[in-house]
Amino acid sequence: MNPLLTVVVPAYDAEAYLARALDSLVGFGPDLEVIVVDDGSSDGTAVLAHEYVDRFPGLVRLLRKPNGGHGSAINAGLDHARGDYLKVVDADDWLDREALAEVLATLRGFRAGEQEVDLLVANFVYEKVGKRTKTAVRYAGALPRGRVITWDRTRTFAKRQYLMMHALTYRTAVLREAGLRLPEHTFYVDNLYALVPLHRVRTLYYLDVDLYRYFIGRADQSVQESVMLRRLDQQLRVNWLMLEHVSRTPVADRRLRRYLLHYVEIICAVSSILLIRAGTAESLAEKDRLWERLRAADPWLYRRVRWSALGQISNLPGAAGRRVSVLAYRVAQRAIGFS
């Protein structure tokens, strides 16, 4: 019988923290397989992963490939996954073992009851360097707890409640049916992972446990603002791919459509604020081009996103308006424990 769950661990030069991630995943028996994807590391990542392969034969596997970036590593893991369900855990993050045991018990229940649940949602916790107070993102209010539901049973998602990759455990077949292939050599593709397959999700289940521990605050981390400013081209590429997907993909369910708009509103606001923060005439012109391009490509989607609350806040006119936009962004970051 296939494992219940495959956990894909994309790893690039992750020797310093990979053991913490793997220690949180092993020892659960044949229900869980771990696939470490060494994405062309130049350090001891593969050697360390081999130690776990040797200790847990058949349960931990190592794939080695030339460097292709985060999306490429996820693609490779998906190609080789044998589990009914799939979760991605970045090599510098980890899972809470008690919560993971509850996830596996829930997936066993799905299998025993022959329930085809497409998506399991659980909470994630920001583990910020140097910060003792931890902030959890939970989905109570938006999703009923402990019930298999369809999108029409969801409620309004709060601004902080968009479904980041860390919250998601997909049925593996859903990812394959969606034809998910993430861009190579591109950062921020986790947003595509959390958006593109949703139109294939018919049923979902919210397990209210703090499962994923999202480690942030390292100076070299891709989500650090200084790093994001250097990689604005990649942020914008992913942003546009998200907009194209929402524009081109028919979605009959009204509440799913509302959620997809909620997500792209947030990402467009982030892109706009980063372009303001870059502070150059070129970056401000690039912000205008993003919105003009959207208006030309899909006027309906443009109206919905541009004139949403976030769209308006991130497009306040003049230098004073831009300062207010950035201040609002800072307040939002503090509210979710990100800064």
Side-chain angles (χ1 to χ4, degrees):
M1 186 174 290
N2 289 340
L4 281 168
L5 176 65
T6 295
V7 177
V8 175
V9 183
Y12 174 72
D13 285 354
E15 181 183 10
Y17 33 76
L18 178 61
R20 179 177 60 188
L22 295 181
D23 285 343
S24 76
L25 301 173
V26 295
F28 290 93
D31 281 345
L32 191 155
E33 74 163 351
V34 179
I35 301 178
V36 181
V37 183
D38 177 18
D39 189 41
S41 297
S42 59
D43 65 357
T45 293
V47 173
L48 178 57
H50 262 302
E51 295 178 10
Y52 286 83
V53 172
D54 292 341
R55 285 169 53 196
F56 300 94
L59 302 178
V60 178
R61 293 190 284 155
L62 172 63
L63 302 179
R64 301 192 70 181
K65 57 181 289 301
N67 180 258
H70 192 230
S72 174
I74 294 173
N75 293 340
L78 174 59
D79 288 343
H80 289 83
R82 298 179 298 205
D84 295 348
Y85 288 83
L86 186 142
K87 186 163 190 65
V88 177
V89 175
D90 287 335
D92 54 348
D93 299 333
W94 66 97
L95 300 185
D96 179 272
R97 289 182 63 86
E98 290 186 11
L100 179 54
E102 290 191 52
V103 168
L104 290 170
T106 301
L107 298 181
R108 280 188 214 103
F110 296 163
R111 179 183 277 178
E114 298 184 349
Q115 291 178 290
E116 203 167 79
V117 179
D118 293 331
L119 176 63
L120 183 145
V121 178
N123 310 323
F124 66 94
V125 179
Y126 287 102
E127 294 277 354
K128 184 170 174 59
V129 172
K131 192 167 185 177
R132 296 179 65 182
T133 302
K134 311 301 181 187
T135 302
V137 175
R138 302 188 175 101
Y139 297 92
L143 300 174
R145 296 181 179 91
R147 294 187 359 231
V148 179
I149 62 168
T150 50
W151 285 105
D152 63 350
R153 305 302 297 172
T154 63
R155 307 184 192 100
T156 301
F157 285 77
K159 293 305 179 190
R160 64 182 293 174
Q161 285 185 314
Y162 63 106
L163 297 169
M164 290 178 67
M165 181 182 76
H166 319 309
L168 306 179
T169 302
Y170 285 109
R171 192 164 61 85
T172 308
V174 166
L175 298 175
R176 291 173 175 157
E177 290 163 5
L180 180 71
R181 303 308 290 178
L182 298 175
E184 298 196 352
H185 299 292
T186 304
F187 286 86
Y188 316 118
V189 296
D190 51 318
N191 290 303
L192 293 167
Y193 182 88
L195 178 89
V196 169
L198 292 183
H199 74 286
R200 304 292 302 199
V201 169
R202 300 288 182 262
T203 52
L204 56 161
Y205 184 99
Y206 173 41
L207 183 63
D208 188 9
V209 295
D210 295 348
L211 173 65
Y212 196 104
R213 319 305 286 205
Y214 178 27
F215 185 60
I216 61 171
R218 297 195 328 273
D220 63 340
Q221 201 164 14
S222 62
V223 293
Q224 285 289 100
E225 185 175 287
S226 59
V227 178
M228 293 187 76
L229 289 172
R230 294 198 301 270
R231 294 174 177 156
L232 268 170
D233 60 326
Q234 296 173 60
Q235 167 72 19
L236 292 170
R237 181 187 180 196
V238 168
N239 194 158
W240 187 252
L241 289 171
M242 294 172 71
L243 288 167
E244 283 188 323
H245 177 78
V246 172
S247 179
R248 296 175 180 177
T249 306
V251 174
D253 190 282
R254 177 177 57 85
R255 295 199 181 185
L256 173 56
R257 168 65 73 174
R258 183 171 67 185
Y259 172 73
L260 296 175
L261 290 170
H262 169 74
Y263 197 171
V264 294
E265 286 166 14
I266 291 169
I267 300 304
C268 286
V270 170
S271 295
S272 295
I273 298 300
L274 288 171
L275 288 163
I276 292 171
R277 289 284 297 125
T280 66
E282 182 180 356
S283 67
L284 294 177
E286 187 65 45
K287 181 172 81 74
D288 291 340
R289 280 194 292 272
L290 170 66
W291 292 103
E292 287 300 321
R293 185 182 179 190
L294 177 58
R295 179 159 60 179
D298 189 330
W300 179 87
L301 183 57
Y302 168 81
R303 289 192 298 272
R304 292 298 302 265
V305 177
R306 173 60 180 83
W307 299 108
S308 67
L310 286 175
Q312 293 185 66
I313 289 170
S314 57
N315 283 283
L316 296 172
R322 291 193 291 272
R323 286 194 293 272
V324 172
S325 298
V326 172
L327 177 61
Y329 179 66
R330 295 282 186 237
V331 171
Q333 283 185 308
R334 287 193 291 272
I336 64 172
F338 199 81
S339 62

